[in-house]
Amino acid sequence: MTMTSACRNLDTQPAAHAADRRKWTVAEAEALFELPFMDLVFRAQQVHREHFDPNAVQRSTLLSIKTGGCSEDCSYCSQSARYRTGLDRQQLMAVAEVVEKAKAAKAKGASRFCMGAAWKGPKEREMETVLAMVREVKALGMETCVTLGMLKGEQAQQLKDAGLDYYNHNVDTAPEYYDKVITTHTLADRLDTLDQVRNAGINVCSGGIIGMGEGRSGRAGLLVQLANMDRPPESVPINNLVAIPGTPLADAEKLDPFEFVRTIAAARIMMPGSFVRLSAGREQMSDEMQALCFMAGANSIFYGDRLLTTDNPEADRDETLFARLGLRPI
Ligand code: SAM
Ligand code: DTB
Ligand code: SF4
């Protein structure tokens, strides 16, 4: 496909989530990446303005409620028990402690609280504790999100009944690249969990990581997979790999920052109605690069000084950046 036809198709992009929403091919997505940077960002900003307030950014605060010792072998992850990353393992936190952290996040201005556990999937006893966390954080008047690994249908329903708003479960990379990064579970397993989440009526948060050596076709393939879902995820985190010493991806070649911005822009164009989250890797980004990401259509961030096991910009730095850019929290 030529660049011109990619642009023409964008002009006819129907409203998000419409039944006749167009499906993307990898070649079409790649054609977006090939556009001159200014054209791509301009298109993305146009699409963004058609669907969202361009000066409003949603903020989620993350908390690792159970850290390390995970059975899985995800090549990027500090929490896999298979790699020596020097991480201190921590058991599932107490509900009261989690609620205190959520209150602090709310006081700082986060609208959503996202609780992450280093599990392949939760066991029954662990579910009871997580359900209590969801109920209590919801009662604070915050949106709730959890990421617990693979779920059975019944567990998804329990989470819904407890008041869960979002479930995060990333497809992580292009289908062709998945088994180069993870071998202990399959992409089909991940998609099955996403189905359980959808069927339970929970909002889907699903995205991936770039900068793992996937190449442009891999980045295009990741976005196509997300955009072509029967309903694209409501929230799409785009993570820049945080290279963790001791993991197989410790020495991955750094992605060109403009390629990261291009990925955000392509995500915005391909999923016009979704929140696109500028996720892991912000600590390593300049303010100018973050501003480019917002211009390219990112409208959500992780907010607070920690992600799960690595650093994120201090809330004060983000507040200053928001003020300098005239951005408002949602
Ligand atoms: N165990 C659960 C799972 O795998 O879904 C939840 C936690 S897991 C850490 C959540 C997501 O964080 C991963 O799917 C991955 O996309 C992202 N992530 C983990 N480590 C990362 C890293 N070093 N750099 C960027 N993103 C990372
Ligand atoms: C997502 O896509 N990114 C977040 C959240 N979902 C759970 C996690 C990022 C983790 C970055 C590395 C770390 O702090 O361990
Ligand atoms: Fe475990 Fe999730 Fe890390 Fe994979 S990404 S090793 S499943 S915590």
Side-chain angles (χ1 to χ4, degrees), residues 26 30 39 52 57 64-65 69 98-99 101 120 139 146 159 183 203 264 282 289 309 321:
V26 175
E30 282 183 297
D39 291 346
F52 289 100
V57 173
S64 182
I65 57 170
V98 171
V99 173
K101 299 273 187 192
K120 179 169 191 163
V146 294
L159 287 164
T183 68
N203 291 307
I264 295 275
R282 261 191 337 111
M289 178 173 167
T309 67
L321 180 61

Side-chain angles (χ1 to χ4, degrees), residues 94-271:
V95 177
E97 204 182 339
V98 171
V99 173
E100 285 313 306
K101 299 273 187 192
K103 280 184 189 163
K106 186 181 180 197
K108 279 271 185 192
S111 63
R112 189 177 307 158
F113 195 64
C114 180
M115 297 161 269
W119 288 322
K120 179 169 191 163
K123 301 194 175 65
E124 207 176 305
R125 197 163 43 86
E126 297 162 338
M127 272 302 281
E128 289 307 317
T129 308
V130 173
L131 292 171
M133 291 173 185
V134 171
R135 275 186 222 106
E136 296 209 18
V137 173
K138 183 79 179 165
L140 299 176
M142 296 185 88
E143 288 183 323
T144 52
C145 175
V146 294
T147 178
L148 314 171
M150 290 186 252
L151 289 186
K152 301 190 180 81
E154 185 190 325
Q155 294 175 316
Q157 196 53 55
Q158 288 174 324
L159 287 164
K160 173 72 183 172
D161 294 343
L164 186 71
D165 296 300
Y166 288 81
Y167 194 84
N168 167 248
H169 200 61
N170 292 341
V171 295
D172 275 331
T173 191
E176 298 71 27
Y177 203 66
Y178 199 83
D179 63 4
K180 301 202 172 43
V181 181
I182 298 154
T183 68
T184 45
H185 56 260
T186 63
L187 176 59
D189 293 330
R190 297 294 274 190
L191 295 175
D192 178 63
T193 290
L194 289 173
D195 279 346
Q196 308 298 350
V197 169
R198 267 273 171 255
N199 292 340
I202 300 166
N203 291 307
V204 170
C205 172
S206 187
I209 311 181
I210 62 173
M212 301 193 295
E214 67 285 330
R216 207 171 242 188
S217 66
R219 292 185 276 284
L222 164 68
L223 297 183
V224 166
Q225 191 181 178
L226 295 164
N228 285 356
M229 287 178 176
D230 289 341
R231 273 177 70 185
E234 280 73 20
S235 166
V236 178
I238 305 293
N239 296 280
N240 202 6
L241 175 71
V242 180
I244 310 276
T247 63
L249 285 169
D251 299 318
E253 197 180 328
K254 283 204 173 16
L255 196 66
D256 174 358
F258 294 124
E259 188 68 10
F260 186 87
V261 180
R262 283 177 186 279
T263 309
I264 295 275
R268 165 53 61 227
I269 292 166
M270 294 168 68
M271 291 170 275

Side-chain angles (χ1 to χ4, degrees), residues 70 72 74 76-77 80 118:
C70 184
E72 303 306 281
C74 310
Y76 48 78
C77 190
S80 167

